[in-house]
Amino acid sequence: MKKKVFASAVAATMCISIGLCGCVNPGEGDNGSDAEPNYAFSVCDVYAWKGYPASEFTPVFEDPAYAEELSFEYDATKISLSETARTVTALTAGVATVKVTSAHYETNFKVYCEEVDKSDECFQLVRSSNNDGVHIWLDCRRQPDACQFEWDVSGNENKTTLFIGDSYMDPGFFTEFENFYGDKDALCWGIGGSDSFTWETLLPLIFTETSPKNPKNIVMHVGTNDVYNTDNTDTEYMTARVTSSLQRIFTLMHNKFPDTNIYWFTITDRVYDGAQERYDTVHGINANMIEWGKGKDWITIVDTNPEVKFWMMKSDGTHVKAEEYGVFVDALYSAGIDILDKN
């Protein structure tokens, strides 16, 4: 069943959507109505990474009643494309354009093919980053053992919901977790200071072949540290970098756990002095991810950023007050998540 995607009013910067191309006379539509058939569809630009699992692209028809078979034209030296699985695999770094054609309509989308340097400091489990003169230390070396131990004690295959990601999902900040989910089959594994690169490194270390296995749901808040814990304020560069990294971590998760439902909370704006210079970056990433998530039945983008108000924030301007976490809990349930009770 297709999940509902909660979209903000911000226009996506990566999605290609072209007006109606080609039509038939009124009254000739398949549904027998006088309305002009709408064969239009859009495909968002996607990222793909050399040596990684294939990336999914999702054609979205404006009127599903007029969905048609599609054909694809592309440079086979740059990407390989599966028409049945609707996936693309990067063969070399660069940009590939895919022409998508139906009987009545055509459009293009781009595949941004990248090579990932896993030796970069951003993938290290012990590192620090400078944000406005403040050093933020990150040490996640013990996290895999701690998570595996808790899973062995409390985790249940195909039943447990995992809350992971940055400080928003860290038990030290999500202090009301037990009040909300104490009677649920749910575990809270967030790490303050972590970002999408951290979790890409942690993924194979925590989620081994034996433990943990096949969570029912993975709920993730991540991306805020990707944006704010760096001195780089170039909006175009950072929007592309973080959009790519988020798509990559979710692609890796889905490849590892194809039956797990993934939920991602959009990046929350920070409100301290100077944070406003990242505003366009945050909203650009959120808009890109909302569009990317449309039509996918395995990930739900939960757009909580517009619901988090200034007065809900702590004095640090970074985190939501403990008593305001209901904004995330309520949005998650509204998105349709099913969190099972404890046995």
Side-chain angles (χ1 to χ4, degrees):
M1 181 179 295
K2 186 183 295 183
K3 299 190 183 77
K4 183 177 180 181
V5 178
F6 289 77
S8 71
V10 182
T13 59
M14 290 175 55
C15 184
I16 301 172
S17 181
I18 304 176
L20 179 62
C21 175
C23 61
V24 297
N25 293 327
E28 293 184 359
D30 295 338
N31 59 11
S33 71
D34 291 336
E36 185 177 272
N38 184 356
Y39 297 100
F41 60 88
S42 61
V43 185
C44 282
D45 296 350
V46 297
Y47 287 87
W49 313 274
K50 189 176 177 181
Y52 277 70
S55 297
E56 184 176 317
F57 65 90
T58 312
V60 178
F61 286 85
E62 291 184 13
D63 187 343
Y66 293 102
E68 299 181 306
E69 290 188 8
L70 303 175
S71 61
F72 304 85
E73 297 178 33
Y74 55 92
D75 186 342
T77 67
K78 294 181 178 180
I79 60 173
S80 62
L81 183 148
S82 170
E83 296 189 15
T84 54
R86 301 284 171 84
T87 59
V88 289
T89 302
L91 302 180
T92 185
V95 181
T97 299
V98 180
K99 180 180 178 181
V100 190
T101 306
S102 70
H104 292 85
Y105 191 79
E106 70 177 43
T107 189
N108 298 319
F109 72 95
K110 288 184 172 59
V111 182
Y112 296 98
C113 302
E114 299 179 342
E115 292 195 45
V116 180
D117 180 7
K118 296 299 291 289
S119 67
D120 192 289
E121 184 187 11
C122 63
F123 288 101
Q124 306 310 307
L125 294 182
V126 182
R127 56 190 169 95
S128 65
S129 56
N130 187 282
N131 180 26
D132 297 328
V134 178
H135 250 46
I136 301 173
W137 289 93
L138 179 69
D139 188 346
C140 302
R141 289 173 295 183
R142 297 182 181 178
Q143 192 73 9
D145 290 341
C147 291
Q148 289 173 12
F149 176 80
E150 188 170 14
W151 178 270
D152 290 341
V153 172
S154 304
N156 296 289
E157 186 174 356
N158 300 318
K159 295 181 179 180
T160 300
T161 295
L162 299 179
F163 289 76
I164 66 174
D166 53 41
S167 55
Y168 273 69
M169 298 292 104
D170 188 317
F173 289 88
F174 196 173
T175 55
E176 298 297 303
F177 183 83
E178 285 299 314
N179 290 335
F180 286 115
Y181 300 113
D183 61 345
K184 299 293 184 180
D185 190 343
L187 300 173
C188 189
W189 289 352
I191 309 170
S194 65
D195 56 28
S196 58
F197 296 94
T198 312
W199 283 96
E200 182 172 336
T201 303
L202 286 172
L203 186 66
L205 301 178
I206 293 177
F207 301 96
T208 65
E209 293 301 318
T210 57
S211 175
K213 283 183 67 177
N214 300 328
K216 177 178 176 59
N217 306 300
I218 293 177
V219 180
M220 198 168 197
H221 188 293
V222 72
T224 180
N225 294 318
D226 295 68
V227 174
Y228 289 99
N229 289 2
T230 175
D231 291 329
N232 194 322
T233 58
D234 185 310
T235 298
E236 182 177 359
Y237 170 80
M238 289 302 300
T239 301
R241 172 183 168 87
V242 180
T243 298
S244 173
S245 186
L246 288 172
Q247 289 185 16
R248 191 167 63 248
I249 185 62
F250 295 132
T251 297
L252 286 166
M253 284 183 178
H254 181 53
N255 182 72
K256 191 170 187 65
F257 301 123
D259 297 322
T260 296
N261 303 305
I262 299 172
Y263 296 82
W264 178 68
F265 295 114
T266 52
I267 301 172
T268 303
D269 287 312
R270 298 188 184 182
V271 295
Y272 51 73
D273 289 343
Q276 61 272 17
E277 66 185 3
R278 317 293 175 108
Y279 181 91
D280 289 342
T281 301
V282 168
H283 286 249
I285 296 164
N286 288 346
N288 288 345
M289 294 301 294
I290 287 168
E291 291 302 316
W292 174 77
K294 287 182 178 178
K296 294 178 173 60
D297 62 0
W298 54 271
I299 187 167
T300 300
I301 311 301
V302 187
D303 190 14
T304 44
N305 188 37
E307 308 305 319
V308 178
K309 309 304 181 184
F310 179 87
W311 51 266
M312 294 180 176
M313 304 295 286
K314 290 183 175 182
S315 59
D316 63 8
T318 298
H319 301 97
V320 170
K321 298 173 184 175
E323 62 268 25
E324 303 297 343
Y325 262 81
V327 70
F328 298 102
V329 175
D330 292 345
L332 195 57
Y333 279 115
S334 295
I337 196 171
D338 179 22
I339 303 178
L340 300 179
D341 293 335
K342 286 182 178 178
N343 294 333

